[in-house]
Amino acid sequence: MENRNKLSIKDLKHYFIANGKRVCAIEDVFLEVKENEFLVLLGPGQCGKTVLLNLIAGLLEPTIGKIFIDGEQVQGTDKRIAMVFQQHSVFPWKTVMGNVEIGLKYAGVPKEERQERAQHFIDLVGLK
């Protein structure tokens, strides 16, 4: 049985612009995770763990380098990737329905179906 790469990262770098200056968030990341392997990211605060996860999830675009999942280059968000954030996050300007729908929207679920599914969830958990 072949043990192929589930996730591959090649020469990844990401920079932000802060106060008019280029700031390095992560640099020279090379990584391979095989099918059925388990990976843990450890490090002190502000070392780039969240930036790396956001890049893998397609929420950020790498400045330099490439990310592959199942051999396909990550270009934007991907239905195979999900993130659970450390802090509860909602969009305060959206309704409960709008917040519940957002993931389905970005997953490409048609409006009528996502509204139906979101309403079912709201009813199920008793949100108002």
Side-chain angles (χ1 to χ4, degrees):
M1 176 185 226
E2 183 182 335
N3 199 9
R4 68 183 185 143
N5 291 334
K6 189 72 175 165
L7 170 67
S8 296
I9 298 176
K10 300 179 188 310
D11 193 28
L12 193 64
K13 296 175 177 62
H14 191 73
Y15 301 97
F16 291 104
I17 302 298
N19 298 322
K21 296 181 181 178
R22 188 169 87 159
V23 177
C24 179
I26 60 171
E27 188 171 47
D28 299 329
V29 176
F30 291 83
L31 177 69
E32 289 184 346
V33 180
K34 304 284 186 203
E35 187 88 34
N36 298 317
E37 281 187 331
F38 187 82
L39 172 70
V40 176
L41 295 176
L42 294 174
Q46 305 297 307
C47 73
K49 299 179 302 289
T50 301
V51 172
L52 179 58
L53 292 172
N54 284 329
L55 288 161
I56 293 169
L59 300 174
L60 292 174
E61 187 176 326
T63 305
I64 297 171
K66 295 182 180 179
I67 301 168
F68 299 89
I69 296 177
D70 293 328
E72 297 175 30
Q73 187 172 349
V74 172
Q75 295 182 332
T77 58
D78 187 308
K79 293 179 184 181
R80 297 171 293 179
I81 303 170
M83 281 185 68
V84 177
F85 296 93
Q86 291 178 341
Q87 300 171 351
H88 297 289
S89 298
V90 295
F91 299 108
W93 61 89
K94 288 189 169 288
T95 63
V96 170
M97 175 72 85
N99 274 281
V100 173
E101 275 186 72
I102 197 75
L104 297 170
K105 179 179 180 179
Y106 287 111
V109 175
K111 185 175 184 175
E112 187 175 308
E113 181 183 346
R114 70 176 182 254
Q115 287 177 336
E116 182 180 305
R117 289 170 63 180
Q119 187 62 56
H120 176 73
F121 176 78
I122 289 168
D123 294 343
L124 185 68
V125 298
L127 294 173
K128 299 289 176 203

